[in-house]
Amino acid sequence: MGGPGDPTEGTPEGGPGGGEEEYRSVVFDESFVRAARLQEYSARERIADHAPAVRRRPPLRRGLSRQALILVLLIAVAFGTAIYMGVRHPYQTSAAQQPVEPLRMTVIPLAPEGRVPGYTDAEYLYAHSPAAQFRVGAKGIPLPASRRTEHFSDSQVVSALTTAKDYIVRSSLDPDVLVGGQARAVRVLVDTDQLDQFDQSFAHPTADGRHAPTGWLVRFDPTEARLADSRIRVQGSLQAAETDSSTLEVTADHTFVYALRSAGGADAEVSLFTVRRELHFRFDRDDLRMHTAQLVVSYVQAGPLTCAEDSTNRLHPLLAGQTAKAGGPAGTDPYATGSATALCGSLATSAQPKV
């Protein structure tokens, strides 16, 4: 007969399924055992004179592994490099950017000394004019070899030159702009801070050096002239330079030669019309990103024109056989403010084709 401490035979009714089942959730894996601070002596060790039954183990080193230390160092080096580049990077954005200036424009009509020479064939006129070696269309506006500047990369300089070229092509070579008066293709390339000036120039043209449509683009009066040859001759250059850490400037100087004939006569003789445009563009980093430009200066010489005609809104070219009208622009009052000085030049005979 067993004592009160002896277990009963078998599994008690309603029990959890035995002793093993009762302690199955308690698992002492190897890592748990190795991490124990106390260790029991082995049987061989207990034979010797060891009063205590256990001994204290030295604490485990819980420092970072070599791989973890290397990873931390790499992160620290990368973070430090990012901070350094943000402070010292040559292409960082300058907080202070120049305010956008209004476009200053000058349009000078060039009056012929005699009758405008004409011929039935545009190619003949081109071949016998100073434009004989000019290239056709956009090919006459090549991009120069670009180089990075102190604060702008190669790609940023190319972007400025490309935008300037696009503006010149759309404002000087697009047939819809030249005779149709469509300005939207040009407007989308203008910096947003100059759009009010651009729109006011076309809504209310004024010869004040600020609001002449012919300062923004080339366009003829479609009731008077039309293109006789769409292959416009062009020659000129583009140059880019950095003015400060936040601004690029592009200077464009091109001569365009158009073959025109009267809008009312399909058999009318063809004459040549020459436009010299010097444009100064300015680009901040927003312009480079948005593919827009600020026009700072527009200096235009065009002829053959008559000084008596107003060239503010549209150009009124003198065609084959025509001569300049007598007279010129009204006198300018030097004491009046807000008015531009009227200018008119003479178109040299050497600039005309030899017919």
Side-chain angles (χ1 to χ4, degrees), residues 17 36 68 72 102 104 116 124 168 186 205 207 227 230 245 269 271 306 316-317 345 351:
V72 171
R104 305 186 306 274
V116 176
Y124 180 88
I168 296 168
V186 180
L227 288 174
S230 60
S245 61
E269 287 190 335
S271 61
T306 178
H316 305 272

Short mmCIF file of all heavy atoms in Angstrom, two decimals, residues 17 36 68 72 102 104 116 124 168 186 205 207 227 230 245 269 271 306 316-317 345 351:
data_model
loop_
_atom_site.label_atom_id
_atom_site.label_comp_id
_atom_site.label_asym_id
_atom_site.label_seq_id
_atom_site.Cartn_x
_atom_site.Cartn_y
_atom_site.Cartn_z
N GLY A 17 -3.28 14.35 -19.60
CA GLY A 17 -2.70 13.39 -20.54
C GLY A 17 -1.33 12.94 -20.13
O GLY A 17 -0.57 12.47 -20.95
N ALA A 36 22.76 30.15 -19.62
CA ALA A 36 22.55 30.09 -18.16
C ALA A 36 23.75 30.63 -17.42
O ALA A 36 24.90 30.36 -17.78
CB ALA A 36 22.24 28.65 -17.75
N ALA A 68 27.90 43.21 -38.15
CA ALA A 68 27.05 44.33 -37.75
C ALA A 68 27.85 45.62 -37.62
O ALA A 68 27.39 46.70 -38.00
CB ALA A 68 26.34 44.01 -36.43
N VAL A 72 27.23 49.11 -39.72
CA VAL A 72 27.04 50.42 -39.07
C VAL A 72 28.04 51.43 -39.61
O VAL A 72 27.70 52.60 -39.88
CB VAL A 72 27.17 50.27 -37.54
CG1 VAL A 72 27.19 51.65 -36.87
CG2 VAL A 72 26.01 49.44 -36.99
N PRO A 102 11.46 92.20 -67.56
CA PRO A 102 10.67 92.29 -68.79
C PRO A 102 11.59 92.34 -70.01
O PRO A 102 12.74 92.79 -69.93
CB PRO A 102 9.89 93.60 -68.62
CG PRO A 102 10.71 94.40 -67.67
CD PRO A 102 11.35 93.41 -66.73
N ARG A 104 13.23 93.66 -73.22
CA ARG A 104 13.50 94.95 -73.86
C ARG A 104 13.72 94.68 -75.35
O ARG A 104 14.57 93.87 -75.72
CB ARG A 104 14.75 95.60 -73.25
CG ARG A 104 14.66 95.78 -71.75
CD ARG A 104 15.85 96.57 -71.20
NE ARG A 104 17.13 95.99 -71.59
CZ ARG A 104 17.75 95.02 -70.93
NH1 ARG A 104 17.17 94.47 -69.85
NH2 ARG A 104 18.92 94.57 -71.33
N VAL A 116 12.99 97.32 -105.21
CA VAL A 116 13.31 96.00 -104.69
C VAL A 116 13.47 95.04 -105.86
O VAL A 116 12.56 94.89 -106.69
CB VAL A 116 12.20 95.50 -103.73
CG1 VAL A 116 12.50 94.08 -103.26
CG2 VAL A 116 12.05 96.45 -102.54
N TYR A 124 17.01 81.22 -107.81
CA TYR A 124 17.90 82.13 -108.53
C TYR A 124 18.27 83.33 -107.66
O TYR A 124 19.44 83.76 -107.62
CB TYR A 124 17.22 82.60 -109.82
CG TYR A 124 18.06 83.54 -110.64
CD1 TYR A 124 18.96 83.05 -111.59
CD2 TYR A 124 17.94 84.91 -110.48
CE1 TYR A 124 19.74 83.92 -112.33
CE2 TYR A 124 18.71 85.80 -111.22
CZ TYR A 124 19.60 85.30 -112.15
OH TYR A 124 20.38 86.16 -112.88
N ILE A 168 13.87 79.95 -81.27
CA ILE A 168 14.22 80.61 -82.53
C ILE A 168 13.53 79.94 -83.71
O ILE A 168 13.01 80.61 -84.61
CB ILE A 168 15.76 80.60 -82.71
CG1 ILE A 168 16.41 81.43 -81.61
CG2 ILE A 168 16.14 81.14 -84.08
CD1 ILE A 168 17.91 81.25 -81.52
N VAL A 186 4.97 79.62 -79.73
CA VAL A 186 6.07 80.38 -79.14
C VAL A 186 5.79 80.64 -77.67
O VAL A 186 6.71 80.57 -76.83
CB VAL A 186 6.25 81.71 -79.90
CG1 VAL A 186 7.38 82.53 -79.29
CG2 VAL A 186 6.51 81.44 -81.38
N PRO A 205 -0.68 95.95 -79.01
CA PRO A 205 0.67 96.27 -79.48
C PRO A 205 0.97 97.76 -79.32
O PRO A 205 0.15 98.62 -79.64
CB PRO A 205 0.63 95.88 -80.97
CG PRO A 205 -0.55 94.94 -81.09
CD PRO A 205 -1.54 95.38 -80.07
N ALA A 207 4.43 100.67 -79.50
CA ALA A 207 5.84 100.92 -79.81
C ALA A 207 6.53 101.58 -78.63
O ALA A 207 7.02 102.71 -78.70
CB ALA A 207 5.95 101.80 -81.06
N LEU A 227 4.78 83.37 -98.25
CA LEU A 227 6.03 82.69 -98.55
C LEU A 227 6.01 82.12 -99.97
O LEU A 227 5.07 81.42 -100.35
CB LEU A 227 6.28 81.56 -97.55
CG LEU A 227 6.66 81.95 -96.12
CD1 LEU A 227 6.73 80.72 -95.24
CD2 LEU A 227 8.00 82.69 -96.11
N SER A 230 9.26 77.71 -98.84
CA SER A 230 9.27 77.38 -97.41
C SER A 230 10.68 77.07 -96.89
O SER A 230 10.88 76.96 -95.68
CB SER A 230 8.36 76.18 -97.14
OG SER A 230 8.80 75.04 -97.87
N SER A 245 25.84 81.66 -60.00
CA SER A 245 25.64 80.26 -59.62
C SER A 245 24.24 79.75 -59.91
O SER A 245 24.01 78.53 -59.86
CB SER A 245 25.93 80.08 -58.12
OG SER A 245 25.05 80.88 -57.33
N GLU A 269 6.38 88.25 -109.17
CA GLU A 269 7.79 87.98 -108.98
C GLU A 269 8.12 87.81 -107.49
O GLU A 269 7.44 88.35 -106.60
CB GLU A 269 8.63 89.11 -109.57
CG GLU A 269 8.67 89.12 -111.09
CD GLU A 269 9.71 90.12 -111.59
OE1 GLU A 269 10.02 91.08 -110.86
OE2 GLU A 269 10.20 89.93 -112.72
N SER A 271 10.72 88.20 -104.27
CA SER A 271 11.77 89.05 -103.73
C SER A 271 12.25 88.47 -102.41
O SER A 271 11.57 87.62 -101.80
CB SER A 271 11.27 90.49 -103.55
OG SER A 271 10.18 90.51 -102.62
N THR A 306 9.50 100.07 -95.38
CA THR A 306 9.44 101.53 -95.45
C THR A 306 9.32 102.08 -94.04
O THR A 306 8.58 101.53 -93.20
CB THR A 306 8.25 101.99 -96.31
OG1 THR A 306 8.21 103.43 -96.31
CG2 THR A 306 6.94 101.45 -95.80
N HIS A 316 5.52 94.76 -92.75
CA HIS A 316 4.90 95.04 -94.04
C HIS A 316 6.01 95.13 -95.09
O HIS A 316 6.47 96.23 -95.44
CB HIS A 316 4.10 96.35 -93.98
CG HIS A 316 3.08 96.37 -92.89
ND1 HIS A 316 1.79 95.90 -93.06
CD2 HIS A 316 3.17 96.81 -91.61
CE1 HIS A 316 1.12 96.05 -91.93
NE2 HIS A 316 1.92 96.60 -91.03
N PRO A 317 6.47 93.99 -95.61
CA PRO A 317 7.63 94.00 -96.50
C PRO A 317 7.34 94.69 -97.83
O PRO A 317 6.23 94.61 -98.37
CB PRO A 317 7.93 92.52 -96.70
CG PRO A 317 6.63 91.82 -96.44
CD PRO A 317 5.94 92.62 -95.39
N GLY A 345 16.68 102.48 -90.51
CA GLY A 345 17.96 102.40 -91.19
C GLY A 345 17.79 102.29 -92.68
O GLY A 345 16.67 102.23 -93.21
N ALA A 351 23.23 94.16 -99.83
CA ALA A 351 22.40 93.15 -99.13
C ALA A 351 21.30 92.60 -100.03
O ALA A 351 20.62 91.64 -99.65
CB ALA A 351 21.79 93.74 -97.88
#
